[in-house]
């Protein structure tokens, strides 16, 4: 971590620029942003938002459903994002995704990235609401009356 406001963004940006398949997971939200740069004449690269799974192996197996046109990836890079969605944008991670897809020749998929970002922002607001309201809390002990 470079400083208190940078949650490993530079390493994540480097991975976005170079890795073929990247799973960015958001532990507080229970979701993963999957960046799959594999493409061919029939299938473009994909930006997918999926519920988090319990392990890297489970995520690899999910590709049979998420990207059935392609074989399972030979490698899967995984990186957590512990910061806010605001930091995700301000630290350049979102722009790195858009730029990678432009580099691949699929700039029109910026709408997929934007839709995923809006959904993640919605999930973050809901999680914060649940924390404030107590809906995300569970009592460990209650006094007997």
């Amino acid at each position: 971590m470079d400083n208190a406001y940078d949650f490993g963004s530079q390493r994540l940006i480097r991975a976005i620029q170079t890795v073929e398949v990247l799973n960015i997971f958001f532990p507080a939200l229970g979701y993963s942003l999957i960046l799959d740069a594999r493409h061919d004449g029939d299938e473009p690269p994909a930006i997918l938002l999926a519920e988090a799974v319990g392990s890297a192996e489970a995520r690899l197996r999910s590709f049979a459903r998420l990207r059935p046109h392609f074989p399972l990836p030979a490698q899967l890079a995984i990186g957590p994002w512990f910061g806010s969605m605001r930091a995700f944008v301000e630290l350049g991670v979102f722009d790195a995704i858009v730029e990678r897809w432009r580099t691949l020749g699929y700039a029109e998929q910026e709408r997929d990235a934007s839709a995923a970002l809006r959904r993640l922002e919605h999930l973050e607001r809901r999680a914060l609401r649940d924390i404030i309201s107590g809906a995300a809390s569970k009592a460990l002990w209650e006094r007997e009356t």
Side-chain angles (χ1 to χ4, degrees), residues 36-53:
D36 188 346
R38 298 175 299 162
H39 61 283
D40 61 21
D42 296 325
E43 292 288 324
I47 299 171
L48 308 165
L49 190 60
E51 288 189 19
V53 295

Side-chain angles (χ1 to χ4, degrees), residues 25-81:
F25 66 95
F26 302 84
L29 306 180
Y31 275 80
S32 290
L33 183 63
I34 301 164
L35 307 174
D36 188 346
R38 298 175 299 162
H39 61 283
D40 61 21
D42 296 325
E43 292 288 324
I47 299 171
L48 308 165
L49 190 60
E51 288 189 19
V53 295
S55 67
E57 292 81 17
R59 175 55 66 210
L60 270 173
R61 287 191 306 271
S62 75
F63 276 90
R65 176 181 48 82
L66 296 170
R67 299 279 278 166
H69 185 74
F70 292 102
L72 294 182
Q75 295 182 339
L76 173 64
I78 298 175
W81 184 260

Side-chain angles (χ1 to χ4, degrees), residues 43-118:
E43 292 288 324
I47 299 171
L48 308 165
L49 190 60
E51 288 189 19
V53 295
S55 67
E57 292 81 17
R59 175 55 66 210
L60 270 173
R61 287 191 306 271
S62 75
F63 276 90
R65 176 181 48 82
L66 296 170
R67 299 279 278 166
H69 185 74
F70 292 102
L72 294 182
Q75 295 182 339
L76 173 64
I78 298 175
W81 184 260
F82 297 107
S84 68
M85 296 315 304
R86 179 178 174 182
F88 193 78
V89 172
E90 289 178 355
L91 293 172
V93 179
F94 178 76
D95 286 342
I97 295 168
V98 171
E99 183 57 33
R100 174 75 189 274
W101 260 241
R102 282 187 188 136
T103 301
L104 292 171
Y106 291 89
E108 69 278 0
Q109 284 192 299
E110 182 175 347
R111 69 181 184 281
D112 295 340
S114 294
L117 177 64
R118 283 191 308 274

